[in-house]
Amino acid sequence: MSDREPPTGPPGRADDVFARQGPRLFRIAYGMLGSATQAEDVVRDVRQHWQTTDRAAVADPQAYLTTATIRLSIRAAHSARLRRASYIGPWLPEPLDTDNDGTATAGTEPVEFDVLLMLEQLDLAERAAFVLRETLASPYSEVAAVLGIDEARARHLVHRARRHLATDRVADLATDRVTDRQGRDDTADQKREDDGAEDCEAA
């Protein structure tokens, strides 16, 4: 080992720690990015970083890996949003692949497609706070520590994210009702036209 390489501890133990945390880290990255492919890339980058980390100095591996995953996910999400700004047409999340029995891969629970769409409307700090709190049930103290903010600010971000998502859901429901009503009206109008045409032919 060169003088510049940090002491990393036994490789086997490091792999065991990451194996336990891997599914959780994937859920975080997928919730932040809406893409299984990008989430896997983030988890792979976190693993590579973990393998060269001085783990003797890491008091809480879960907190350390969670923080690394959130930060890399925010960076990746920011880059992805810049790229999508030049796309033609709407961007849609990448659904999570499932096994034959319908369960999500990598020990994860799939995030609903419509929720992923709504999460795209949040700023990245709100999205990170929401994913940690709502997807992983992380305490506000952990949300605050991961994002580098105080607990009151963490609560505010989660509250604001919930409010935005609730507003989007109400708007979607209203749109669905208008669409359904318009469809019924169009059907009724068509039926009246058909009936009128039949009356004219009979006359």
Side-chain angles (χ1 to χ4, degrees):
M1 178 183 295
S2 70
D3 293 339
R4 297 181 62 183
E5 288 181 304
T8 56
R13 182 174 180 276
D15 290 341
D16 289 345
V17 170
F18 198 90
R20 291 194 298 271
Q21 295 297 322
R24 184 176 188 272
L25 304 182
F26 181 87
R27 290 185 69 186
I28 294 171
Y30 182 67
M32 288 295 299
L33 296 164
S35 165
T37 302
Q38 292 180 337
E40 289 168 356
D41 289 342
V42 165
V43 174
R44 184 178 62 249
D45 289 346
V46 172
R47 180 169 190 162
Q48 291 173 349
H49 179 70
W50 174 246
Q51 289 174 338
T52 59
T53 296
D54 180 4
R55 291 182 293 279
V58 177
D60 186 341
Q62 176 173 298
Y64 181 89
L65 293 170
T66 298
T67 301
T69 302
I70 282 288
R71 290 178 179 175
L72 285 178
S73 295
I74 288 176
R75 187 183 307 168
H78 179 69
S79 297
R81 288 185 176 186
L82 291 177
R83 291 194 302 271
R84 290 199 292 268
S86 61
Y87 285 2
I88 298 175
W91 175 85
L92 297 176
E94 176 188 329
L96 190 61
D97 289 337
T98 57
D99 296 323
N100 293 332
D101 61 358
T103 58
T105 59
T108 65
E109 293 293 335
V111 181
E112 293 182 6
F113 188 82
D114 59 342
V115 173
L116 287 172
L117 280 175
M118 288 187 287
L119 287 176
E120 282 296 307
Q121 309 307 312
L122 303 179
D123 69 38
L124 295 177
E126 289 175 350
R127 185 166 184 166
F130 183 86
V131 167
L132 288 170
R133 179 64 182 174
E134 299 298 326
T135 303
L136 300 175
S138 299
Y140 283 109
S141 57
E142 181 180 349
V143 176
V146 168
L147 297 180
I149 56 180
D150 60 40
E151 192 168 327
R153 175 64 176 166
R155 289 178 180 275
H156 178 70
L157 286 175
V158 173
H159 173 74
R160 196 165 64 184
R162 287 171 176 164
R163 185 179 60 201
H164 287 168
L165 294 180
T167 300
D168 287 342
R169 286 192 179 100
V170 170
D172 287 344
L173 287 173
T175 300
D176 290 343
R177 291 191 186 104
V178 170
T179 301
D180 290 344
R181 184 164 56 250
Q182 185 63 52
R184 290 194 298 271
D185 291 344
D186 290 345
T187 300
D189 290 343
Q190 184 62 49
K191 186 176 186 303
R192 282 193 293 269
E193 291 177 4
D194 292 344
D195 290 343
E198 290 177 359
D199 290 343
C200 289
E201 291 175 1

